[in-house]
PDB file of all heavy atoms in Angstrom:
ATOM      1  N   SER K  34      -7.690 -13.664  -1.392  1.00 95.00           N
ATOM      2  CA  SER K  34      -8.004 -13.902  -2.798  1.00 95.00           C
ATOM      3  C   SER K  34      -6.744 -13.734  -3.647  1.00 95.00           C
ATOM      4  O   SER K  34      -5.661 -13.470  -3.140  1.00 95.00           O
ATOM      5  CB  SER K  34      -9.101 -12.939  -3.259  1.00 95.00           C
ATOM      6  OG  SER K  34      -8.625 -11.605  -3.209  1.00 95.00           O
ATOM      7  N   SER K  35      -6.921 -13.860  -4.940  1.00 96.00           N
ATOM      8  CA  SER K  35      -5.819 -13.717  -5.879  1.00 96.00           C
ATOM      9  C   SER K  35      -6.260 -12.778  -6.996  1.00 96.00           C
ATOM     10  O   SER K  35      -7.405 -12.831  -7.440  1.00 96.00           O
ATOM     11  CB  SER K  35      -5.472 -15.100  -6.440  1.00 96.00           C
ATOM     12  OG  SER K  35      -4.409 -14.991  -7.343  1.00 96.00           O
ATOM     13  N   ARG K  36      -5.377 -11.889  -7.421  1.00 96.00           N
ATOM     14  CA  ARG K  36      -5.692 -10.941  -8.491  1.00 96.00           C
ATOM     15  C   ARG K  36      -4.602 -11.010  -9.552  1.00 96.00           C
ATOM     16  O   ARG K  36      -3.443 -11.247  -9.243  1.00 96.00           O
ATOM     17  CB  ARG K  36      -5.743  -9.506  -7.968  1.00 96.00           C
ATOM     18  CG  ARG K  36      -6.768  -9.259  -6.896  1.00 96.00           C
ATOM     19  CD  ARG K  36      -8.129  -8.928  -7.505  1.00 96.00           C
ATOM     20  NE  ARG K  36      -9.070  -8.395  -6.555  1.00 96.00           N
ATOM     21  CZ  ARG K  36      -9.732  -9.099  -5.654  1.00 96.00           C
ATOM     22  NH1 ARG K  36      -9.529 -10.382  -5.540  1.00 96.00           N
ATOM     23  NH2 ARG K  36     -10.597  -8.527  -4.847  1.00 96.00           N
ATOM     24  N   ASP K  37      -4.981 -10.745 -10.798  1.00 96.00           N
ATOM     25  CA  ASP K  37      -4.002 -10.764 -11.875  1.00 96.00           C
ATOM     26  C   ASP K  37      -3.426  -9.372 -12.123  1.00 96.00           C
ATOM     27  O   ASP K  37      -3.099  -8.999 -13.233  1.00 96.00           O
ATOM     28  CB  ASP K  37      -4.585 -11.375 -13.158  1.00 96.00           C
ATOM     29  CG  ASP K  37      -5.787 -10.616 -13.678  1.00 96.00           C
ATOM     30  OD1 ASP K  37      -6.167  -9.588 -13.074  1.00 96.00           O
ATOM     31  OD2 ASP K  37      -6.348 -11.040 -14.703  1.00 96.00           O
ATOM     32  N   TRP K  38      -3.301  -8.611 -11.072  1.00 96.00           N
ATOM     33  CA  TRP K  38      -2.692  -7.292 -11.102  1.00 96.00           C
ATOM     34  C   TRP K  38      -2.110  -6.961  -9.740  1.00 96.00           C
ATOM     35  O   TRP K  38      -2.426  -7.614  -8.740  1.00 96.00           O
ATOM     36  CB  TRP K  38      -3.698  -6.219 -11.539  1.00 96.00           C
ATOM     37  CG  TRP K  38      -4.996  -6.222 -10.791  1.00 96.00           C
ATOM     38  CD1 TRP K  38      -6.100  -6.976 -11.078  1.00 96.00           C
ATOM     39  CD2 TRP K  38      -5.340  -5.466  -9.621  1.00 96.00           C
ATOM     40  NE1 TRP K  38      -7.106  -6.730 -10.164  1.00 96.00           N
ATOM     41  CE2 TRP K  38      -6.663  -5.797  -9.268  1.00 96.00           C
ATOM     42  CE3 TRP K  38      -4.652  -4.534  -8.850  1.00 96.00           C
ATOM     43  CZ2 TRP K  38      -7.311  -5.233  -8.175  1.00 96.00           C
ATOM     44  CZ3 TRP K  38      -5.299  -3.964  -7.757  1.00 96.00           C
ATOM     45  CH2 TRP K  38      -6.609  -4.317  -7.434  1.00 96.00           C
ATOM     46  N   PHE K  39      -1.233  -5.969  -9.728  1.00 96.00           N
ATOM     47  CA  PHE K  39      -0.567  -5.500  -8.519  1.00 96.00           C
ATOM     48  C   PHE K  39      -0.869  -4.007  -8.412  1.00 96.00           C
ATOM     49  O   PHE K  39      -0.717  -3.283  -9.393  1.00 96.00           O
ATOM     50  CB  PHE K  39       0.943  -5.750  -8.665  1.00 96.00           C
ATOM     51  CG  PHE K  39       1.749  -5.451  -7.439  1.00 96.00           C
ATOM     52  CD1 PHE K  39       1.838  -6.382  -6.413  1.00 96.00           C
ATOM     53  CD2 PHE K  39       2.448  -4.261  -7.321  1.00 96.00           C
ATOM     54  CE1 PHE K  39       2.610  -6.124  -5.285  1.00 96.00           C
ATOM     55  CE2 PHE K  39       3.215  -3.992  -6.199  1.00 96.00           C
ATOM     56  CZ  PHE K  39       3.297  -4.930  -5.187  1.00 96.00           C
ATOM     57  N   PRO K  40      -1.315  -3.534  -7.255  1.00 95.00           N
ATOM     58  CA  PRO K  40      -1.684  -2.118  -7.151  1.00 95.00           C
ATOM     59  C   PRO K  40      -0.497  -1.177  -7.332  1.00 95.00           C
ATOM     60  O   PRO K  40       0.549  -1.365  -6.720  1.00 95.00           O
ATOM     61  CB  PRO K  40      -2.231  -1.981  -5.728  1.00 95.00           C
ATOM     62  CG  PRO K  40      -2.434  -3.354  -5.226  1.00 95.00           C
ATOM     63  CD  PRO K  40      -1.531  -4.252  -6.004  1.00 95.00           C
ATOM     64  N   ALA K  41      -0.660  -0.175  -8.169  1.00 92.00           N
ATOM     65  CA  ALA K  41       0.351   0.880  -8.330  1.00 92.00           C
ATOM     66  C   ALA K  41       0.065   1.929  -7.258  1.00 92.00           C
ATOM     67  O   ALA K  41      -0.262   3.072  -7.539  1.00 92.00           O
ATOM     68  CB  ALA K  41       0.278   1.472  -9.723  1.00 92.00           C
ATOM     69  N   LEU K  42       0.172   1.503  -6.029  1.00 91.00           N
ATOM     70  CA  LEU K  42      -0.267   2.283  -4.883  1.00 91.00           C
ATOM     71  C   LEU K  42       0.868   2.428  -3.879  1.00 91.00           C
ATOM     72  O   LEU K  42       1.631   1.481  -3.656  1.00 91.00           O
ATOM     73  CB  LEU K  42      -1.455   1.568  -4.226  1.00 91.00           C
ATOM     74  CG  LEU K  42      -2.124   2.207  -3.034  1.00 91.00           C
ATOM     75  CD1 LEU K  42      -2.825   3.500  -3.428  1.00 91.00           C
ATOM     76  CD2 LEU K  42      -3.150   1.241  -2.438  1.00 91.00           C
ATOM     77  N   ALA K  43       0.969   3.604  -3.295  1.00 91.00           N
ATOM     78  CA  ALA K  43       1.950   3.862  -2.247  1.00 91.00           C
ATOM     79  C   ALA K  43       1.229   4.452  -1.043  1.00 91.00           C
ATOM     80  O   ALA K  43       0.256   5.190  -1.196  1.00 91.00           O
ATOM     81  CB  ALA K  43       3.015   4.827  -2.745  1.00 91.00           C
ATOM     82  N   ALA K  44       1.687   4.111   0.149  1.00 90.00           N
ATOM     83  CA  ALA K  44       1.113   4.668   1.378  1.00 90.00           C
ATOM     84  C   ALA K  44       2.257   5.141   2.270  1.00 90.00           C
ATOM     85  O   ALA K  44       3.310   4.501   2.340  1.00 90.00           O
ATOM     86  CB  ALA K  44       0.265   3.627   2.100  1.00 90.00           C
ATOM     87  N   PHE K  45       2.029   6.245   2.933  1.00 88.00           N
ATOM     88  CA  PHE K  45       3.054   6.866   3.756  1.00 88.00           C
ATOM     89  C   PHE K  45       2.470   7.199   5.119  1.00 88.00           C
ATOM     90  O   PHE K  45       1.363   7.732   5.197  1.00 88.00           O
ATOM     91  CB  PHE K  45       3.540   8.164   3.096  1.00 88.00           C
ATOM     92  CG  PHE K  45       4.010   7.950   1.691  1.00 88.00           C
ATOM     93  CD1 PHE K  45       3.115   7.990   0.635  1.00 88.00           C
ATOM     94  CD2 PHE K  45       5.340   7.689   1.436  1.00 88.00           C
ATOM     95  CE1 PHE K  45       3.542   7.784  -0.660  1.00 88.00           C
ATOM     96  CE2 PHE K  45       5.774   7.477   0.145  1.00 88.00           C
ATOM     97  CZ  PHE K  45       4.879   7.524  -0.909  1.00 88.00           C
ATOM     98  N   HIS K  46       3.228   6.896   6.166  1.00 86.00           N
ATOM     99  CA  HIS K  46       2.774   7.260   7.506  1.00 86.00           C
ATOM    100  C   HIS K  46       2.963   8.758   7.658  1.00 86.00           C
ATOM    101  O   HIS K  46       4.049   9.283   7.434  1.00 86.00           O
ATOM    102  CB  HIS K  46       3.550   6.497   8.580  1.00 86.00           C
ATOM    103  CG  HIS K  46       2.856   6.525   9.898  1.00 86.00           C
ATOM    104  ND1 HIS K  46       2.956   7.592  10.760  1.00 86.00           N
ATOM    105  CD2 HIS K  46       2.018   5.644  10.481  1.00 86.00           C
ATOM    106  CE1 HIS K  46       2.227   7.352  11.826  1.00 86.00           C
ATOM    107  NE2 HIS K  46       1.639   6.185  11.677  1.00 86.00           N
ATOM    108  N   VAL K  47       1.908   9.442   8.012  1.00 80.00           N
ATOM    109  CA  VAL K  47       1.919  10.898   8.048  1.00 80.00           C
ATOM    110  C   VAL K  47       2.890  11.439   9.094  1.00 80.00           C
ATOM    111  O   VAL K  47       3.547  12.446   8.879  1.00 80.00           O
ATOM    112  CB  VAL K  47       0.485  11.435   8.297  1.00 80.00           C
ATOM    113  CG1 VAL K  47       0.478  12.940   8.436  1.00 80.00           C
ATOM    114  CG2 VAL K  47      -0.430  11.004   7.166  1.00 80.00           C
ATOM    115  N   GLU K  48       3.030  10.765  10.223  1.00 77.00           N
ATOM    116  CA  GLU K  48       3.854  11.285  11.310  1.00 77.00           C
ATOM    117  C   GLU K  48       5.298  10.797  11.264  1.00 77.00           C
ATOM    118  O   GLU K  48       6.154  11.363  11.924  1.00 77.00           O
ATOM    119  CB  GLU K  48       3.227  10.900  12.645  1.00 77.00           C
ATOM    120  CG  GLU K  48       1.871  11.536  12.848  1.00 77.00           C
ATOM    121  CD  GLU K  48       1.159  10.984  14.069  1.00 77.00           C
ATOM    122  OE1 GLU K  48       1.795  10.298  14.869  1.00 77.00           O
ATOM    123  OE2 GLU K  48      -0.042  11.246  14.191  1.00 77.00           O
ATOM    124  N   CYS K  49       5.579   9.756  10.533  1.00 68.00           N
ATOM    125  CA  CYS K  49       6.929   9.176  10.545  1.00 68.00           C
ATOM    126  C   CYS K  49       7.451   9.091   9.112  1.00 68.00           C
ATOM    127  O   CYS K  49       6.910   8.365   8.294  1.00 68.00           O
ATOM    128  CB  CYS K  49       6.897   7.789  11.182  1.00 68.00           C
ATOM    129  SG  CYS K  49       8.507   6.983  11.173  1.00 68.00           S
ATOM    130  N   THR K  50       8.500   9.823   8.799  1.00 62.00           N
ATOM    131  CA  THR K  50       9.001   9.877   7.428  1.00 62.00           C
ATOM    132  C   THR K  50       9.526   8.535   6.930  1.00 62.00           C
ATOM    133  O   THR K  50       9.603   8.325   5.732  1.00 62.00           O
ATOM    134  CB  THR K  50      10.126  10.919   7.290  1.00 62.00           C
ATOM    135  OG1 THR K  50      11.191  10.557   8.162  1.00 62.00           O
ATOM    136  CG2 THR K  50       9.626  12.308   7.602  1.00 62.00           C
ATOM    137  N   GLY K  51       9.873   7.630   7.801  1.00 71.00           N
ATOM    138  CA  GLY K  51      10.461   6.370   7.362  1.00 71.00           C
ATOM    139  C   GLY K  51       9.473   5.280   6.990  1.00 71.00           C
ATOM    140  O   GLY K  51       9.840   4.329   6.314  1.00 71.00           O
ATOM    141  N   ASP K  52       8.228   5.383   7.408  1.00 86.00           N
ATOM    142  CA  ASP K  52       7.270   4.311   7.159  1.00 86.00           C
ATOM    143  C   ASP K  52       6.566   4.496   5.821  1.00 86.00           C
ATOM    144  O   ASP K  52       5.802   5.439   5.631  1.00 86.00           O
ATOM    145  CB  ASP K  52       6.218   4.255   8.274  1.00 86.00           C
ATOM    146  CG  ASP K  52       6.812   3.763   9.586  1.00 86.00           C
ATOM    147  OD1 ASP K  52       7.930   3.224   9.565  1.00 86.00           O
ATOM    148  OD2 ASP K  52       6.143   3.928  10.615  1.00 86.00           O
ATOM    149  N   ARG K  53       6.838   3.552   4.888  1.00 90.00           N
ATOM    150  CA  ARG K  53       6.219   3.569   3.564  1.00 90.00           C
ATOM    151  C   ARG K  53       5.797   2.159   3.221  1.00 90.00           C
ATOM    152  O   ARG K  53       6.412   1.186   3.654  1.00 90.00           O
ATOM    153  CB  ARG K  53       7.196   4.069   2.511  1.00 90.00           C
ATOM    154  CG  ARG K  53       7.615   5.496   2.733  1.00 90.00           C
ATOM    155  CD  ARG K  53       8.576   5.930   1.675  1.00 90.00           C
ATOM    156  NE  ARG K  53       9.940   5.695   2.113  1.00 90.00           N
ATOM    157  CZ  ARG K  53      10.978   6.418   1.763  1.00 90.00           C
ATOM    158  NH1 ARG K  53      10.817   7.423   0.935  1.00 90.00           N
ATOM    159  NH2 ARG K  53      12.163   6.155   2.193  1.00 90.00           N
ATOM    160  N   ALA K  54       4.761   2.057   2.433  1.00 93.00           N
ATOM    161  CA  ALA K  54       4.285   0.743   1.978  1.00 93.00           C
ATOM    162  C   ALA K  54       3.869   0.875   0.517  1.00 93.00           C
ATOM    163  O   ALA K  54       3.444   1.947   0.071  1.00 93.00           O
ATOM    164  CB  ALA K  54       3.106   0.282   2.827  1.00 93.00           C
ATOM    165  N   TYR K  55       3.975  -0.247  -0.216  1.00 94.00           N
ATOM    166  CA  TYR K  55       3.659  -0.243  -1.640  1.00 94.00           C
ATOM    167  C   TYR K  55       2.841  -1.475  -1.997  1.00 94.00           C
ATOM    168  O   TYR K  55       2.891  -2.478  -1.312  1.00 94.00           O
ATOM    169  CB  TYR K  55       4.955  -0.236  -2.472  1.00 94.00           C
ATOM    170  CG  TYR K  55       5.796   0.985  -2.220  1.00 94.00           C
ATOM    171  CD1 TYR K  55       6.763   0.990  -1.210  1.00 94.00           C
ATOM    172  CD2 TYR K  55       5.609   2.142  -2.955  1.00 94.00           C
ATOM    173  CE1 TYR K  55       7.519   2.117  -0.959  1.00 94.00           C
ATOM    174  CE2 TYR K  55       6.361   3.276  -2.707  1.00 94.00           C
ATOM    175  CZ  TYR K  55       7.315   3.264  -1.713  1.00 94.00           C
ATOM    176  OH  TYR K  55       8.059   4.389  -1.457  1.00 94.00           O
ATOM    177  N   GLY K  56       2.103  -1.381  -3.101  1.00 95.00           N
ATOM    178  CA  GLY K  56       1.352  -2.531  -3.600  1.00 95.00           C
ATOM    179  C   GLY K  56       0.276  -2.963  -2.626  1.00 95.00           C
ATOM    180  O   GLY K  56      -0.481  -2.150  -2.098  1.00 95.00           O
ATOM    181  N   TRP K  57       0.213  -4.281  -2.382  1.00 95.00           N
ATOM    182  CA  TRP K  57      -0.828  -4.812  -1.494  1.00 95.00           C
ATOM    183  C   TRP K  57      -0.643  -4.356  -0.057  1.00 95.00           C
ATOM    184  O   TRP K  57      -1.616  -4.183   0.678  1.00 95.00           O
ATOM    185  CB  TRP K  57      -0.882  -6.344  -1.577  1.00 95.00           C
ATOM    186  CG  TRP K  57      -1.396  -6.793  -2.901  1.00 95.00           C
ATOM    187  CD1 TRP K  57      -0.720  -7.489  -3.862  1.00 95.00           C
ATOM    188  CD2 TRP K  57      -2.700  -6.553  -3.450  1.00 95.00           C
ATOM    189  NE1 TRP K  57      -1.520  -7.675  -4.965  1.00 95.00           N
ATOM    190  CE2 TRP K  57      -2.738  -7.116  -4.742  1.00 95.00           C
ATOM    191  CE3 TRP K  57      -3.837  -5.904  -2.979  1.00 95.00           C
ATOM    192  CZ2 TRP K  57      -3.865  -7.062  -5.555  1.00 95.00           C
ATOM    193  CZ3 TRP K  57      -4.959  -5.846  -3.791  1.00 95.00           C
ATOM    194  CH2 TRP K  57      -4.966  -6.426  -5.070  1.00 95.00           C
ATOM    195  N   ASP K  58       0.615  -4.135   0.374  1.00 94.00           N
ATOM    196  CA  ASP K  58       0.829  -3.608   1.723  1.00 94.00           C
ATOM    197  C   ASP K  58       0.215  -2.216   1.852  1.00 94.00           C
ATOM    198  O   ASP K  58      -0.408  -1.888   2.860  1.00 94.00           O
ATOM    199  CB  ASP K  58       2.326  -3.554   2.047  1.00 94.00           C
ATOM    200  CG  ASP K  58       2.950  -4.927   2.192  1.00 94.00           C
ATOM    201  OD1 ASP K  58       2.201  -5.897   2.470  1.00 94.00           O
ATOM    202  OD2 ASP K  58       4.181  -5.044   2.020  1.00 94.00           O
ATOM    203  N   ALA K  59       0.379  -1.393   0.817  1.00 93.00           N
ATOM    204  CA  ALA K  59      -0.221  -0.050   0.821  1.00 93.00           C
ATOM    205  C   ALA K  59      -1.741  -0.139   0.776  1.00 93.00           C
ATOM    206  O   ALA K  59      -2.438   0.677   1.373  1.00 93.00           O
ATOM    207  CB  ALA K  59       0.305   0.753  -0.360  1.00 93.00           C
ATOM    208  N   TRP K  60      -2.228  -1.147   0.072  1.00 93.00           N
ATOM    209  CA  TRP K  60      -3.684  -1.349  -0.045  1.00 93.00           C
ATOM    210  C   TRP K  60      -4.304  -1.492   1.357  1.00 93.00           C
ATOM    211  O   TRP K  60      -5.349  -0.901   1.643  1.00 93.00           O
ATOM    212  CB  TRP K  60      -3.926  -2.603  -0.875  1.00 93.00           C
ATOM    213  CG  TRP K  60      -5.336  -2.858  -1.256  1.00 93.00           C
ATOM    214  CD1 TRP K  60      -6.287  -3.516  -0.522  1.00 93.00           C
ATOM    215  CD2 TRP K  60      -5.987  -2.488  -2.469  1.00 93.00           C
ATOM    216  NE1 TRP K  60      -7.471  -3.578  -1.200  1.00 93.00           N
ATOM    217  CE2 TRP K  60      -7.313  -2.958  -2.412  1.00 93.00           C
ATOM    218  CE3 TRP K  60      -5.567  -1.811  -3.604  1.00 93.00           C
ATOM    219  CZ2 TRP K  60      -8.214  -2.762  -3.442  1.00 93.00           C
ATOM    220  CZ3 TRP K  60      -6.469  -1.622  -4.629  1.00 93.00           C
ATOM    221  CH2 TRP K  60      -7.774  -2.096  -4.539  1.00 93.00           C
ATOM    222  N   THR K  61      -3.654  -2.267   2.213  1.00 93.00           N
ATOM    223  CA  THR K  61      -4.191  -2.480   3.562  1.00 93.00           C
ATOM    224  C   THR K  61      -4.053  -1.230   4.434  1.00 93.00           C
ATOM    225  O   THR K  61      -4.847  -1.024   5.340  1.00 93.00           O
ATOM    226  CB  THR K  61      -3.503  -3.669   4.263  1.00 93.00           C
ATOM    227  OG1 THR K  61      -2.110  -3.403   4.392  1.00 93.00           O
ATOM    228  CG2 THR K  61      -3.712  -4.956   3.486  1.00 93.00           C
ATOM    229  N   LYS K  62      -3.057  -0.405   4.155  1.00 92.00           N
ATOM    230  CA  LYS K  62      -2.823   0.804   4.957  1.00 92.00           C
ATOM    231  C   LYS K  62      -3.853   1.896   4.687  1.00 92.00           C
ATOM    232  O   LYS K  62      -4.006   2.819   5.481  1.00 92.00           O
ATOM    233  CB  LYS K  62      -1.425   1.370   4.692  1.00 92.00           C
ATOM    234  CG  LYS K  62      -0.297   0.424   5.010  1.00 92.00           C
ATOM    235  CD  LYS K  62      -0.133   0.236   6.486  1.00 92.00           C
ATOM    236  CE  LYS K  62       1.095  -0.613   6.760  1.00 92.00           C
ATOM    237  NZ  LYS K  62       1.066  -1.216   8.075  1.00 92.00           N
ATOM    238  N   GLN K  63      -4.562   1.822   3.563  1.00 87.00           N
ATOM    239  CA  GLN K  63      -5.532   2.870   3.209  1.00 87.00           C
ATOM    240  C   GLN K  63      -6.575   3.086   4.297  1.00 87.00           C
ATOM    241  O   GLN K  63      -7.035   4.206   4.498  1.00 87.00           O
ATOM    242  CB  GLN K  63      -6.267   2.502   1.913  1.00 87.00           C
ATOM    243  CG  GLN K  63      -5.402   2.526   0.697  1.00 87.00           C
ATOM    244  CD  GLN K  63      -6.209   2.168  -0.526  1.00 87.00           C
ATOM    245  OE1 GLN K  63      -6.600   3.056  -1.267  1.00 87.00           O
ATOM    246  NE2 GLN K  63      -6.466   0.898  -0.744  1.00 87.00           N
ATOM    247  N   ALA K  64      -6.947   2.016   4.969  1.00 85.00           N
ATOM    248  CA  ALA K  64      -8.003   2.103   5.986  1.00 85.00           C
ATOM    249  C   ALA K  64      -7.462   2.423   7.374  1.00 85.00           C
ATOM    250  O   ALA K  64      -8.232   2.648   8.295  1.00 85.00           O
ATOM    251  CB  ALA K  64      -8.774   0.782   6.032  1.00 85.00           C
TER     252      ALA K  64
END
């Protein structure tokens, strides 16, 4: 789909300090 906004969201891999995701990439990591 398409949205007229971008998530102000960040996701971090708990075991690996280097893995981070933001926006829609972080959105998918939530699950």
